[in-house]
Amino acid sequence: MNPADTKIAFIGLGLMGVPMAKNLLKAGYEVLGFDLSKEVAAKFSDEQKFHFANSPLQAIEGANVTILMLPDSSIIDALLWGADGQVGIADQLVKNSYLLDMSSSSPISSKANNQKLEELGIRFVDAPVSGGVKKAIDGSLAIIVGGKQEHFQEIKPLLEHMGKNITYVGDAGAAHAVKALNNYVSAAGLIAASEALNAATAFGLDPHTVNQVLNASTGRNNTTENKVEAYMLNDAFNSGFSLALMRKDVQIALGFIEGMKCYSSLAKQCVQTAQEADQKLGKGADHTAMYDYVRSQKH
Ligand code: NAD
């Protein structure tokens, strides 16, 4: 999978897609990008090997690897198989090429897509990421991989340009399952930290000091370590990961846990809280604004 004979189609150039595609360009790959928002093309104006396609079908022409970094599975299913007059790209993908879904998608949809793509001679790999925009920029994302072992081995050198901690977890869909579960655990930590800091403040305590104590104690988690000071207590709420996407992730996780017929009491509560916060804060809210939502709730 070296840059000289690999052409990459990259569909979904949002907060994560742009820096990930830039790291592939830096490694010498040719990238044909597509996004519904044409303005993103300007972000690649300095890149010699980047071309902005007019359509997904144009982007995938001759591509041996197609990467998706899109919001959710309903968008991916419509892109692959067509919907509402939109033509699907699945049967136009180059035979034996890779379709790498790096979005945080539903494991159920990914399993189904893998089966249908296999029949078309396409190698599906789910490779969702963790670490946010910062790690997407410096190429140090954690990447979870699902699909055939031999496909993972072939695609790994390419993934190494976008991430550092790359873990193979099982068959197609497995990585999307693990990713959803990770994001559920992370969301639970965010909600718990928001509630704890809000109650501490109401008691007259300094939330900065309380967070220091959490970080020196067993209550520490990714929110207390990396988000509270950087995005929450300063009211910046600009981590680059939206509340709408977090809500989608916890919904996927709950569906998965229930589908496995496992206990889901906290997952249910996280989905409800995420839904209420998303509705109250509206479109464009960052997930760290969960703290703002918690502060605004009166009992
Ligand atoms: P984003 O909303 O910034 O970007 C999504 C992009 O997809 C947008 O530019 C949008 O215009 C484009 N798009 C939507 N529908 C499209 C279509 N049909 N065809 C082409 N383009 C289309 O989202 P993001 O933050 O970059 O996240 C992308 C994925 O990565 C999501 O699944 C998210 O859950 C996951 N993720 C995000 C983060 C983060 O910190 N932002 C971290 C890990 C994983």
Side-chain angles (χ1 to χ4, degrees):
M1 193 99 350
N2 67 65
D5 50 27
T6 307
K7 189 174 144 197
I8 300 173
F10 204 116
I11 304 179
L13 296 163
L15 287 167
M16 296 292 284
V18 168
M20 289 164 70
K22 286 199 172 190
N23 281 328
L24 293 172
L25 288 159
K26 208 186 323 170
Y29 290 95
E30 182 187 350
V31 177
L32 250 115
F34 177 74
D35 193 283
L36 285 183
S37 157
K38 306 273 175 279
E39 285 90 75
V40 301
K43 297 187 175 159
F44 294 90
S45 54
D46 294 345
E47 302 283 358
Q48 305 294 319
K49 289 190 148 188
F50 179 84
H51 314 274
F52 191 79
N54 290 322
S55 67
L57 280 175
Q58 194 184 66
I60 62 163
E61 228 179 278
N64 5 27
V65 179
T66 296
I67 297 179
L68 308 182
M69 197 55 181
L70 290 161
D72 61 45
S73 287
S74 63
I75 290 174
I76 288 167
D77 290 351
L79 176 82
L80 288 177
W81 312 109
D84 304 327
Q86 180 187 339
V87 183
I89 63 167
D91 60 1
Q92 299 298 315
L93 291 162
V94 173
K95 296 290 164 244
N96 295 319
S97 70
Y98 280 95
L99 182 81
L100 227 63
D101 182 7
M102 302 192 75
S103 332
S104 304
S105 308
S106 149
I108 315 287
S109 301
S110 298
K111 253 184 121 164
N113 284 336
N114 171 58
Q115 208 168 0
K116 290 197 274 176
L117 287 164
E118 216 169 12
E119 285 162 17
L120 293 173
I122 307 303
R123 302 165 177 187
F124 177 84
V125 173
D126 45 327
V129 306
S130 189
V133 175
K134 254 197 210 159
K135 292 195 172 187
I137 292 171
D138 66 20
S140 67
L141 289 164
I143 307 181
I144 318 164
V145 187
K148 291 207 167 87
Q149 261 283 6
E150 66 264 30
H151 293 168
F152 166 58
Q153 292 307 334
E154 201 175 351
I155 213 81
K156 198 171 169 217
L158 192 143
L159 296 177
E160 281 167 347
H161 296 295
M162 295 179 278
K164 295 271 173 281
N165 196 336
I166 303 173
T167 313
Y168 176 78
V169 290
D171 291 341
H176 280 148
V178 175
K179 170 65 183 167
L181 294 172
N182 171 74
N183 281 28
Y184 155 52
V185 174
S186 177
L190 169 75
I191 298 168
S194 298
E195 291 183 358
L197 293 172
N198 184 47
T201 308
F203 194 66
L205 298 172
D206 174 16
H208 300 276
T209 308
V210 175
N211 197 54
Q212 272 172 26
V213 174
L214 293 179
N215 280 333
S217 314
T218 50
R220 78 177 169 279
N221 62 33
N222 183 44
T223 293
T224 64
E225 288 186 320
N226 299 312
K227 300 178 191 175
V228 167
E229 288 296 345
Y231 311 113
M232 291 160 65
L233 293 182
N234 58 4
D235 285 4
F237 307 131
N238 62 351
S239 77
F241 177 52
S242 71
L243 182 57
L245 288 177
M246 187 191 96
R247 170 187 173 170
K248 173 231 9 176
D249 289 338
V250 288
Q251 275 170 325
I252 293 174
L254 176 60
F256 181 79
I257 294 169
E258 288 182 335
M260 295 298 107
K261 308 216 175 316
C262 292
Y263 187 71
S264 61
S265 150
L266 183 57
K268 278 197 195 96
Q269 187 54 53
C270 283
V271 166
Q272 194 186 320
T273 305
Q275 277 171 345
E276 286 166 4
D278 189 27
Q279 267 156 21
K280 167 113 196 284
L281 298 175
K283 201 170 157 17
D286 193 82
H287 77 298
T288 54
M290 175 59 72
Y291 181 56
D292 194 32
Y293 169 74
V294 166
R295 273 189 321 202
S296 71
Q297 296 306 292
K298 299 276 171 278
H299 277 281

